[in-house]
Amino acid sequence: MPVFMAIVNWENLNRLLKLFFWYCMVALLIAAMHILFIWATSSSGYYEYLRPLLKKWQIGDTNFMSILAYLNTYLILGRYFSEEIQEKKYQRQVLLLFSLIAVIGVIDYLFFTGFRNYGYFNPIASSSLAIVFSLISLRIIFQKDTLVPIAKNSYFWFALGILVYNSIGLFLRLAGNAIYGDDFILYYKVSMAKDLFFDIAQILIVIGFYRSRFVKYLDNQGNA
């Protein structure tokens, strides 16, 4: 939904909103990859071709693709948050922080947690960074003097969407990690709850792109 709304309102998007669009687009592509993998290894005729590879690498789920979502947060969403901060010195610090966490996350994925396990570092780090910087984003928005109402501010809806999903998602990810492999039914229920809040976040982000026609007024007042 966010990608479609962004494309419909593309002429209204400034550089910052286009950057957030690419974050949403990459997230959509990653989700499509998950669906394609599940389809190819379950109901399709491709499983027989994939089985030797899956057996060799001991792949039994989609955890091996999770690093893509984390890198999307570290690299693209991190860039979005850094550019939202107008002070150049702080922009560099934010970029350095997200880049450093990305490197640590890849190292953890390759050499410590591995690609077969749910892990702790990346779920906690990605959600924590998203929560902290969405709160910083909201603070920036509320501190700036603007004639544009908050309800018409795209940045507000983006920050709120990221905050809602990751605040609940952090708890659910930790709960999912604790029960992963032990109680499939409970894990499935936790996953459904996370999907519900994901849908809510998507709606908030859609509103943000819908309100993009007002961003030019924010730009003129030095708010983007």
Side-chain angles (χ1 to χ4, degrees), residues 20 73-74 77-85 90-99 101 125-141 155-156 158-160 162-163 166-167:
F20 198 84
T73 296
Y74 299 145
L77 187 61
R79 183 65 179 268
Y80 168 82
F81 282 131
S82 72
E83 293 199 8
E84 193 177 11
I85 300 173
Y90 294 125
Q91 286 184 355
R92 290 191 292 268
Q93 292 173 0
V94 171
L95 277 176
L96 180 61
L97 173 62
F98 275 93
S99 299
I101 297 299
S126 61
S127 292
S128 297
L129 285 173
I131 291 169
V132 169
F133 281 93
S134 60
L135 289 172
I136 292 175
S137 176
L138 289 173
R139 182 181 178 183
I140 292 173
I141 292 167
Y155 308 119
F156 166 75
F158 292 164
L160 191 60
I162 295 296
L163 180 62
N166 285 278
S167 296

Side-chain angles (χ1 to χ4, degrees), residues 3-141:
V3 169
F4 173 77
M5 185 59 69
I7 293 174
V8 169
N9 292 276
W10 188 259
E11 64 181 13
N12 297 321
L13 305 189
N14 62 4
R15 171 180 168 79
L16 201 52
L17 266 63
K18 287 180 180 178
L19 190 56
F20 198 84
F21 160 79
W22 285 113
Y23 164 73
C24 295
M25 174 62 80
V26 171
L28 179 62
L29 293 175
I30 293 171
M33 290 173 61
H34 279 257
I35 294 173
L36 180 61
F37 175 81
I38 293 173
W39 171 79
T41 55
S42 57
S43 59
S44 75
Y46 294 100
Y47 176 71
E48 292 302 321
Y49 298 98
L50 295 173
R51 183 166 60 178
L53 185 62
L54 297 175
K55 184 177 180 180
K56 177 181 178 180
W57 292 99
Q58 300 179 14
I59 296 175
D61 49 41
T62 59
N63 276 332
F64 73 99
M65 289 191 286
S66 62
I67 190 63
L68 300 176
Y70 300 136
L71 288 176
N72 189 29
T73 296
Y74 299 145
L75 301 180
I76 302 183
L77 187 61
R79 183 65 179 268
Y80 168 82
F81 282 131
S82 72
E83 293 199 8
E84 193 177 11
I85 300 173
Q86 291 183 337
E87 292 81 358
K88 295 294 183 181
K89 62 177 181 179
Y90 294 125
Q91 286 184 355
R92 290 191 292 268
Q93 292 173 0
V94 171
L95 277 176
L96 180 61
L97 173 62
F98 275 93
S99 299
L100 178 61
I101 297 299
V103 171
I104 297 174
V106 171
I107 293 173
D108 175 75
Y109 170 81
L110 293 175
F111 302 108
F112 294 96
T113 296
F115 59 85
R116 302 183 188 91
N117 300 314
Y118 193 83
Y120 280 100
F121 178 81
N122 279 308
I124 294 175
S126 61
S127 292
S128 297
L129 285 173
I131 291 169
V132 169
F133 281 93
S134 60
L135 289 172
I136 292 175
S137 176
L138 289 173
R139 182 181 178 183
I140 292 173
I141 292 167

